[in-house]
Amino acid sequence: QLEKRFTLPEAPSIIVHPNTAAKSGKFDCSVMSLSVLLDYRPEDNKEHSFEVSLFAELFNEMLMRDFGFTIYKSLMSAPNKVEDDKKDKKKDDKKDKDDKKDKEGQEER
């Protein structure tokens, strides 16, 4: 039925079709980014914007959790650096040489 009345976009989208009975037909729809919804203004303490603000906060927390988990999974599945192993070996070799020099210096005394 909607396909007959409207030209629908090819990409998946959210379609808003306001009810003409809402607010005596003066229903206004606008597209806003999440950051705009999270940017509170003094006039946003009214009841009509409470649900939108609550949804924006929860949606933002969901995105942070999901992206944080994705980053964590990527870090955990990443291979260890080979350079770290080489640096550790160099430090151990240097320490062994220093220990040998200390022993030789003590034996000479």
Side-chain angles (χ1 to χ4, degrees):
Q1 190 179 28
L2 287 174
E3 292 173 356
K4 293 178 184 177
R5 289 186 187 177
F6 305 104
T7 304
L8 300 176
E10 293 292 324
S13 305
I14 296 174
I15 300 173
V16 177
H17 186 70
N19 188 345
T20 54
K23 292 192 172 187
S24 303
K26 296 179 184 177
F27 188 80
D28 185 29
C29 293
S30 59
V31 176
M32 295 183 185
S33 67
L34 182 59
S35 62
V36 170
L37 292 175
L38 293 171
D39 185 26
Y40 298 113
R41 296 174 296 279
E43 63 268 8
D44 286 344
N45 62 359
K46 297 179 179 141
E47 185 179 346
H48 70 275
S49 63
F50 173 75
E51 290 88 358
V52 174
S53 298
L54 181 64
F55 173 77
E57 287 288 342
L58 294 173
F59 190 73
N60 188 44
E61 287 181 14
M62 181 197 70
L63 289 176
M64 287 191 297
R65 183 202 65 208
D66 289 352
F67 287 130
F69 184 68
T70 302
I71 292 169
Y72 173 77
K73 277 190 349 186
S74 299
L75 290 174
M76 294 308 293
S77 64
N80 292 334
K81 285 186 175 181
V82 177
E83 294 174 11
D84 288 344
D85 294 339
K86 289 179 182 177
K87 287 180 184 177
D88 289 342
K89 285 182 182 178
K90 286 181 182 178
K91 286 180 183 176
D92 289 342
D93 290 345
K94 186 176 180 182
K95 190 176 180 181
D96 289 343
K97 287 180 184 177
D98 290 342
D99 289 345
K100 286 181 182 178
K101 286 182 183 178
D102 289 343
K103 286 182 182 178
E104 288 175 1
Q106 289 175 358
E107 290 175 3
E108 290 177 3
R109 290 183 190 176

